[in-house]
Amino acid sequence: MFVRTRMTANPFTVTPQNSVPDATAMMKKHAVRHLPVVQGSRVVGVVSQSDIAKASPSSATSLSANEVTYLLSKLKVSSIMTRDPVTISPDALLEEAAIAMRDHKIEMLPVVENDALVGVITESAILDAFIELLGFRDPGTRLTIDTTDTPGVLARLALATARHHANIQHLAVYRGQDRSTILVGVNTPNTEALEEELSADGFTVLMKLVNP
């Protein structure tokens, strides 16, 4: 799955010349925590709620509310934004976006194509994709299976599901040293006969989740 299939296209943005209250108002209005900062169509930074919080006077300040408001109104996004942010291509894999976010401890990546901002990809979008890939909300049955980590295991599993006229819709494998856990989602709620065959063939069904 590619970034372009999950990114938010035409995202809300601010410029370096916008004031911090402008950025705050936009985040509140659109319920976002991060904004790309653009000069023309080129990404020059990212500003987040945490950046704004760090730049704001603490609750222990002796300044009045009007003084705080005035000072913030004079503060530009350019003075608090993260410059030269990590970006990603729309043709990158979602896994690449997830690794970049994890490695750099960030929650949003500007998506850039031909040096122009075309979207953003967020942690929430990647989590939604993860849930969809595992089929947790899809109708049918999801079986969690323990098996040996040997060649031919997935072929045997596929043949068994075919014999019971079940279509594999989702598949994930978590490998251990000599055993693996397989999550397989099939398009039917009736898997009793399939489970019996799998058990007879050496598979162990650890968990069963049926979505109507």
Side-chain angles (χ1 to χ4, degrees), residues 41-197:
S41 61
R42 187 171 64 88
V43 178
V44 295
V46 168
V47 65
S48 67
Q49 286 181 343
S50 61
D51 294 327
I52 294 172
K54 290 174 185 176
S56 301
S58 73
S59 57
T61 181
S62 60
L63 298 173
S64 68
N66 287 338
E67 288 172 323
V68 170
T69 300
Y70 175 78
L71 289 174
L72 286 177
S73 70
K74 298 299 181 182
L75 195 61
K76 301 298 182 185
V77 167
S78 59
S79 65
I80 67 168
M81 70 183 187
T82 299
R83 297 176 181 274
D84 300 318
V86 179
T87 64
I88 198 160
S89 163
D91 295 319
L93 296 171
L94 277 186
E95 296 95 313
E96 295 178 82
I99 289 171
M101 290 183 191
R102 186 67 173 169
D103 288 350
H104 295 279
K105 297 180 173 60
I106 51 181
E107 299 177 355
M108 182 271 283
L109 289 172
V111 184
V112 174
E113 188 172 36
N114 297 324
D115 293 326
L117 179 72
V118 295
V120 295
I121 185 79
T122 65
E123 279 188 335
S124 295
I126 290 177
L127 284 173
D128 287 342
F130 175 75
I131 292 168
E132 183 179 309
L133 283 170
L134 294 183
F136 193 80
R137 292 174 174 160
D138 289 356
T141 303
R142 193 179 75 158
L143 300 174
T144 303
I145 300 168
D146 174 74
T147 184
T148 56
D149 186 12
T150 54
V153 164
L154 290 180
R156 286 161 45 208
L157 177 61
L159 286 172
T161 56
R163 280 192 291 270
H164 292 273
H165 307 289
N167 185 32
I168 296 177
Q169 297 178 304
H170 304 279
L171 185 69
V173 180
Y174 297 88
R175 299 185 63 195
Q177 290 186 345
D178 56 358
R179 302 193 68 80
S180 292
T181 300
I182 301 174
L183 303 182
V184 58
V186 294
N187 64 335
T188 174
N190 305 311
T191 59
E192 288 79 7
L194 171 60
E195 292 172 58
E196 289 180 6
E197 179 172 337

